[in-house]
Amino acid sequence: MADNKAILKAGDAEIELPILSGVAGNDVIDVRALGSSGYFTYDPGFMATGSCESSITFIDGAKGVLLHRGYSIEELARDADYLEVCYMLLHDKTPNSEEYKEFKDTITRHTLVHDQVNNFFRGFRRDAHPMAMLCGTVGAMSSFYHDDLDISDPEQRLRSAYRLVAKMPTMVAMCYKYNIGQPFVYPRNDLTYAENFLNMMFSVPAEDYKITPAVSRAVDRIFTLHADHEQNASTSTVRLAGSSGANPYACIAAGVASLWGPAHGGANEACLTMLQEIGSVDRIPEFIAKAKDKADPFRLMGFGHRVYKNHDPRATVMRESCHEVLSELNIDDPLLNVAMELEKIALSDPYFAEKKLFPNVDFYSGIILKAIGIPTNMFTCIFALARTVGWVSHWHEMLSQPGQKIGRPRQLYTGEEQRKYNPIKK
């Protein structure tokens, strides 16, 4: 809603720009009229630019609030499972018992991938990075559903969304199995979403994999806590790709590629790398001192967050699961001992409280994944698995909105003015 207007003075002209108010969050200035007056805005990193209108997720970083469709992430992570959150993100409402059962059955019965997908993996080197394989195989899925890719049809869009949510755990597990030289494990319809993923990751033909409740609950929470996070880099990439009319599998492959960047999806992997650098509990004071020294390039990974200026609301719930898993598995791992001691210091040292450098969701999820035996090069794949539902929800929402246009950012040109070309023969 346009409540009032901002007056922009540009040269001798005054340009009226509507100020729009959403349900929550900051007001935004509608700058679309600037183009017809010969001006564009300049905002590298889109730090002060709203790129779309969305009703899916709301973040208040100053207060440490994260809402999906109006529901707090803390409540969802404690009282709902991942598939219930998936339904809610896709359909803008929580499911009743019948809707939930139907949705769960649909997802469960679509977890199997086409047998020819196996052939794609054989084209990769054995030591290929899992994210490289995931990018390729997700994009290739469009070749199996080319008769069901009409993005103007809401039903076809939802079918594509369901397929992606269902098949992503299978393909992520295939990336892992291919890396370690073990046979692919087919999904099982008698297991929950999280249990099925764990079974495809760790079971082998010679013996069954025993799934403990604490581990499956923790993995389900990791999925829930990473399901969506508003207009981040990968979600914006999916929306931009989708604005061109690209098919959903190409758009999600673009999201996977964006997430692969260490500044985005590699945060929990970077946290484990930092713990390996510290190495042992007795070296923690040395690294705490380095972290406090502004002249030292060392930074504590997994502490603080670009968006949240207070506690990361996801971290509180993830911390509970982290301690449950470590207690259940009773692992004596020097790296996990370093993590727990580092957490204790960070929560008691006044320096961390003053700087608001609290452990974030990546700190705890990295520890959990390490504890259950998932290698660090798989962490970002699991992030992509969880975030797929957020990506397809934003893609579906964008294509449902009237007047949608292809994304076309402007630039501030700093190159040469027009000049004469001299042919190379001269």
Side-chain angles (χ1 to χ4, degrees), residues 192-206:
T192 67
Y193 192 86
E195 289 171 346
N196 196 26
F197 173 66
L198 287 166
N199 187 68
M200 289 189 290
M201 284 284 290
F202 297 120
S203 67
V204 292

Side-chain angles (χ1 to χ4, degrees), residues 195 198 209-218 325 328-329 372:
E195 289 171 346
L198 287 166
Y209 170 69
K210 184 180 179 182
I211 304 169
T212 63
V215 170
S216 63
R217 183 167 57 248
V325 167
E328 173 88 16
L329 300 181
I372 63 179

Side-chain angles (χ1 to χ4, degrees), residues 37-172:
S37 302
Y39 294 95
F40 301 121
T41 57
Y42 180 64
D43 182 20
F46 307 106
M47 302 295 290
T49 298
S51 62
C52 64
E53 182 179 314
S54 180
S55 63
I56 297 172
T57 297
F58 172 71
I59 296 172
D60 187 330
K63 295 179 181 177
V65 171
L66 171 59
L67 308 178
H68 292 329
R69 301 293 191 185
Y71 300 99
S72 77
I73 191 62
E74 294 96 331
E75 285 185 303
L76 294 175
R78 287 196 176 100
D79 302 327
D81 68 14
Y82 177 67
L83 286 184
E84 187 178 341
V85 173
C86 288
Y87 183 96
M88 183 185 63
L89 290 173
L90 286 165
H91 293 279
D92 195 11
K93 66 172 187 174
T94 54
N96 58 34
S97 298
E98 185 177 335
E99 289 168 333
Y100 174 74
K101 183 181 183 304
E102 182 181 352
F103 178 71
K104 185 179 180 181
D105 287 348
T106 301
I107 296 299
T108 299
R109 295 185 183 283
H110 279 82
T111 50
L112 191 65
V113 299
H114 196 288
D115 193 58
Q116 289 184 358
V117 171
N118 297 1
N119 298 331
F120 288 127
F121 283 93
R122 295 190 178 95
F124 292 107
R125 286 171 51 118
R126 276 289 176 192
D127 59 352
H129 195 287
M131 285 293 280
M133 294 189 278
L134 193 62
C135 274
T137 50
V138 170
M141 281 180 67
S142 61
S143 64
F144 294 98
Y145 307 107
H146 48 80
D147 293 331
D148 200 26
L149 294 176
D150 182 359
I151 62 171
S152 65
D153 181 350
E155 291 300 318
Q156 290 192 37
R157 291 202 302 267
L158 276 177
R159 280 200 295 272
S160 296
Y162 282 20
R163 284 192 189 105
L164 280 158
V165 170
K167 297 180 191 304
M168 190 63 84
T170 308
M171 290 193 293
V172 169

Side-chain angles (χ1 to χ4, degrees), residues 25-26 58-67 229-230 305-313 356:
N26 298 333
F58 172 71
I59 296 172
D60 187 330
K63 295 179 181 177
V65 171
L66 171 59
L67 308 178
H229 209 236
E230 208 220 67
H305 195 280
R306 176 182 173 182
V307 172
Y308 300 109
K309 306 310 177 188
N310 206 311
H311 283 281
D312 181 343
K356 300 191 184 301

Side-chain angles (χ1 to χ4, degrees), residues 1 47 105 118 140 156 207 211 233 256 259 303 336 345 397:
M1 297 291 292
M47 302 295 290
D105 287 348
N118 297 1
Q156 290 192 37
E207 61 180 298
I211 304 169
V256 172
L259 190 70
F303 292 82
L336 299 179
I345 293 171
E397 177 188 63

Side-chain angles (χ1 to χ4, degrees), residues 185-302:
V185 176
Y186 289 118
R188 281 173 42 184
N189 292 350
D190 61 320
L191 299 176
T192 67
Y193 192 86
E195 289 171 346
N196 196 26
F197 173 66
L198 287 166
N199 187 68
M200 289 189 290
M201 284 284 290
F202 297 120
S203 67
V204 292
E207 61 180 298
D208 291 332
Y209 170 69
K210 184 180 179 182
I211 304 169
T212 63
V215 170
S216 63
R217 183 167 57 248
V219 170
D220 190 86
R221 278 184 172 177
I222 286 175
F223 293 164
T224 296
L225 294 170
H226 290 86
D228 191 48
H229 209 236
E230 208 220 67
Q231 305 308 318
N232 52 78
S234 57
T235 301
S236 298
T237 298
V238 170
R239 278 183 171 266
L240 191 60
S243 74
S244 73
N247 72 71
Y249 305 100
C251 295
I252 301 310
V256 172
S258 176
L259 190 70
W260 194 355
H264 187 10
N268 49 15
E269 186 173 348
C271 178
L272 261 291
T273 302
M274 176 200 69
L275 293 176
Q276 289 167 344
E277 184 182 356
I278 295 173
S280 60
V281 171
D282 61 326
R283 295 192 67 198
I284 289 179
E286 171 193 343
F287 282 88
I288 293 290
K290 286 163 69 72
K292 294 179 180 180
D293 184 356
K294 292 182 179 179
D296 196 299
F298 175 78
R299 293 290 178 268
L300 280 174
M301 306 303 296

